[in-house]
Amino acid sequence: MRKQYEKDIEEAKRTRSQNKSEGNIVSIHNTHTDHAVTSKRKVSKGKEKVAIEAPTQLNHDFIITFNEVMDQLGNNITTLRQMTIELAERLEEANDQNKKLKSDYASLQNEIINAVDMKVLIRLADKVSSKNIQQITG
């Protein structure tokens, strides 16, 4: 696309450079001129003001491309929002599972402690009963 307007672009660059070196004020205006860069000269407080008219087709193509990019960005934002919601739900599920696992772990620790305590009590009971039997028989 740029090659199509290369002559116009080169002419605009030359005009801009010339106006810059002459100290002219340059502004770009959209007109219905197609494939041409023209300049208008206006006098403003003793300084020459130059208005450069940009090709309409170039602006139209830019606007179409810009709108396509903006649509794609909008789609990407929508996708990211959906992913954020999904990830937040998955995080909540993971936190719930983590709480359940902590609770199960604490229960198992209590059962182990109780089992160890029972085993100790059984051993003590066995020792006490064997001593009592020895004393009675002995």
Side-chain angles (χ1 to χ4, degrees):
M1 169 85 40
R2 184 177 170 93
K3 288 182 181 183
Q4 184 178 359
Y5 299 105
E6 216 166 279
K7 289 179 184 176
D8 294 336
I9 291 169
E10 288 301 318
E11 184 181 332
K13 285 181 181 179
R14 278 192 301 276
T15 304
R16 183 180 61 188
S17 177
Q18 181 183 0
N19 289 327
K20 190 174 180 182
S21 66
E22 293 174 1
N24 295 331
I25 300 168
V26 178
S27 63
I28 297 176
H29 300 284
N30 184 16
T31 65
H32 296 291
T33 307
D34 203 16
H35 305 297
V37 175
T38 60
S39 64
K40 295 179 180 177
R41 300 190 182 275
K42 298 178 184 176
V43 177
S44 172
K45 293 185 182 179
K47 285 195 171 185
E48 190 174 6
K49 183 176 181 180
V50 178
I52 299 174
E53 298 172 359
T56 303
Q57 184 63 37
L58 184 63
N59 289 341
H60 180 70
D61 292 344
F62 171 78
I63 290 170
I64 289 172
T65 303
F66 178 80
N67 287 336
E68 289 172 354
V69 169
M70 291 304 291
D71 287 344
Q72 186 60 43
L73 287 173
N75 292 339
N76 289 347
I77 289 171
T78 301
T79 302
L80 288 173
R81 283 183 179 146
Q82 290 170 345
M83 290 173 69
T84 301
I85 291 168
E86 181 183 327
L87 289 173
E89 290 170 355
R90 289 173 63 185
L91 178 61
E92 188 175 339
E93 289 174 16
N95 285 336
D96 290 344
Q97 288 177 351
N98 189 29
K99 286 177 187 175
K100 185 179 180 325
L101 287 172
K102 283 181 179 180
S103 174
D104 291 349
Y105 180 74
S107 295
L108 285 173
Q109 279 183 321
N110 286 334
E111 287 181 29
I112 290 170
I113 290 169
N114 289 338
V116 169
D117 288 347
M118 273 306 241
K119 195 172 184 180
V120 169
L121 284 174
I122 291 171
R123 277 194 221 155
L124 285 174
D126 284 346
K127 284 184 182 180
V128 167
S129 62
S130 19
K131 281 186 182 181
N132 285 341
I133 292 175
Q134 285 177 359
Q135 287 176 356
I136 294 174
T137 57

